[in-house]
Amino acid sequence: MANAKKSAKRRGQIAAFGEPPILPTNEVQHFHAYRPTSIKVDGNKQPRAVIRRVVIYRELHDVGKISERHFKAAHHYRNYFDMTERSLTKSCLDVGIRGVKLDHDISAWIIDAQRVVADGLRAVGSLYDVFTLIIENDMTLNAAAAQLHGTRDVMVKGKPKVRVKSGSEQIVLLELKFALERLASVYDL
């Protein structure tokens, strides 16, 4: 009976959104948070279901774990970091005219973005590991705590489970706040 309800619900979702989205693998879901959402694709009247990776620093700001100043510093850094990660090679699928002229040297906006990122990482200093895991890689606090501080095996209802060490998530959050405060002071936010 429960399976019939699930399949009817699934048919309703497919009718509303078309094909269901492809979920990330379990390994990827362990390190990052994902949220189902819908988007409208040009030319289609029906929204399409998609799975998007959650930007962790935005989530931390929304739940009140980091301040507005810390959010602005993280957002500023992440924008410039994403610029440095772009490819300078024009895609064959891009038929538009590129606004940046590239002769044989790196354009000015890439140099500026690399400078801003380098200044930010220099300011973060010894908190580099926590900062890059959460801000650059969008790792959850739980996954970052497991990677930095380790895990422990516990028995829950007779079954072995892997948990992060107690208090390590709070330590990671506190280190992230310190790193973002250093970053905000460099960027004068």
Side-chain angles (χ1 to χ4, degrees), residues 115-173:
R115 182 193 53 81
V116 170
V117 168
D119 289 345
L121 291 178
R122 199 174 305 112
V124 167
S126 62
L127 301 171
Y128 172 82
D129 293 335
V130 172
F131 182 76
T132 55
L133 286 177
I134 296 173
I135 303 300
E136 290 180 7
N137 300 330
D138 284 328
M139 219 179 238
T140 61
L141 288 177
N142 191 4
Q147 186 164 340
L148 294 171
H149 300 287
T151 59
R152 59 188 175 91
D153 297 329
V154 295
M155 296 295 283
V156 177
K157 296 181 182 177
K159 295 181 181 179
K161 298 282 183 179
V162 177
R163 306 273 188 208
V164 296
K165 293 182 179 176
S166 61
S168 60
E169 277 189 51
Q170 289 82 12
I171 293 170
V172 167
L173 181 61

Side-chain angles (χ1 to χ4, degrees), residues 72-151:
K72 286 180 181 177
H75 190 67
H76 183 75
Y77 175 84
R78 181 64 184 263
N79 283 340
Y80 281 98
F81 175 75
D82 288 341
M83 280 186 212
T84 62
E85 294 292 306
R86 286 187 194 158
S87 174
L88 292 175
T89 307
K90 184 176 177 180
S91 170
C92 64
L93 301 175
D94 183 10
V95 295
I97 299 172
R98 189 167 279 250
V100 178
K101 183 180 180 200
L102 299 174
D103 289 332
H104 288 293
D105 24 328
I106 298 177
S107 62
W109 62 271
I110 281 282
I111 293 172
D112 184 50
Q114 288 173 342
R115 182 193 53 81
V116 170
V117 168
D119 289 345
L121 291 178
R122 199 174 305 112
V124 167
S126 62
L127 301 171
Y128 172 82
D129 293 335
V130 172
F131 182 76
T132 55
L133 286 177
I134 296 173
I135 303 300
E136 290 180 7
N137 300 330
D138 284 328
M139 219 179 238
T140 61
L141 288 177
N142 191 4
Q147 186 164 340
L148 294 171
H149 300 287
T151 59

Side-chain angles (χ1 to χ4, degrees), residues 13-20 46-49:
Q13 288 174 346
I14 291 174
F17 295 115
E19 285 298 313
Q46 294 287 343
R48 180 180 167 94

Side-chain angles (χ1 to χ4, degrees), residues 23-30 34:
L23 297 174
T25 62
N26 290 336
E27 292 82 13
V28 173
Q29 285 185 17
H30 174 72
Y34 290 89

